[in-house]
Amino acid sequence: MGISVAIRRLWCFFTKTCEVSYVDFYITASLYNAILATEKEVSKKSICHFFSQSPYTIPKRHIQVFEQGNKLFYLCIKFYDQVKRKAFKEKIQKNTEIFPFWIAFPDNFKGAPRWQQGYEQQYSKVFLDYWKSLSSDQQKLYMESYNCPIEWQDWLREYTQKNL
């Protein structure tokens, strides 16, 4: 870190003029697999370690990890530098495939009591937005690659027809 950067950070700290912003997101399937390959496990600790290393180099104290379901982690990362925040967000947005709802919450189903509560409610919107972004061929491939249960296949087919 250059001397001018260090001085700027100290100035910001003492004058409270730094703009703090956040990037929050669910770990995508490809990021999950990259963390697993690199760290040999996916946990709060391994996720913080992964993002503290190159190419991300985010201080661990700026990373909050919330485990919300099976293979489902929600991150909130603090940035003081808007250029770094923008670059990080661009890297993250390249990874779009999320885990399907039936993987993240294997004991839950659309219409079940927890579907519209807590983490499940938030993730159901994220999942359905992702689902709608896929072409019909991509949807079929997605269901095949994640061994979509029959109940979900039927429900997603109906949902897709209603939302055309």
Side-chain angles (χ1 to χ4, degrees), residues 29-71:
S30 58
L31 275 173
Y32 183 94
N33 292 330
I35 293 166
L36 183 60
T38 305
E39 303 293 324
K40 307 302 181 228
E41 72 169 353
V42 181
S43 65
K44 291 180 179 185
K45 185 178 179 179
S46 66
I47 291 168
C48 286
H49 185 262
F50 179 83
F51 283 107
S52 70
Q53 304 300 305
S54 183
Y56 303 107
T57 61
I58 298 167
K60 289 180 183 178
R61 68 184 179 281
H62 293 183
I63 305 168
Q64 287 186 296
V65 181
F66 305 94
E67 186 171 0
Q68 295 184 337
N70 180 41
K71 296 184 176 185

Side-chain angles (χ1 to χ4, degrees), residues 12 26 28 65 84 101 114 128 150 153:
C12 288
Y26 284 100
T28 60
V65 181
K84 285 184 180 179
F101 199 88
R114 295 275 312 161
L128 291 173
I150 297 294
Q153 290 177 31

Side-chain angles (χ1 to χ4, degrees), residues 25 31 51 56 88-96:
F25 61 98
L31 275 173
F51 283 107
Y56 303 107
F88 177 80
K89 202 168 182 178
E90 288 172 359
K91 284 179 195 172
I92 293 302
Q93 288 175 340
K94 292 177 184 175
N95 305 294
T96 59

Side-chain angles (χ1 to χ4, degrees), residues 107-142:
D107 298 326
N108 204 332
F109 182 71
K110 169 67 176 146
R114 295 275 312 161
W115 173 260
Q116 292 299 326
Q117 297 176 353
Y119 303 141
E120 290 91 342
Q121 180 179 14
Q122 181 185 14
Y123 195 68
S124 68
K125 181 179 177 358
V126 172
F127 168 69
L128 291 173
D129 287 346
Y130 176 72
W131 178 257
K132 289 186 279 189
S133 75
L134 301 175
S135 70
S136 60
D137 288 340
Q138 290 171 320
Q139 288 174 349
K140 287 177 188 174
L141 185 60
Y142 183 77

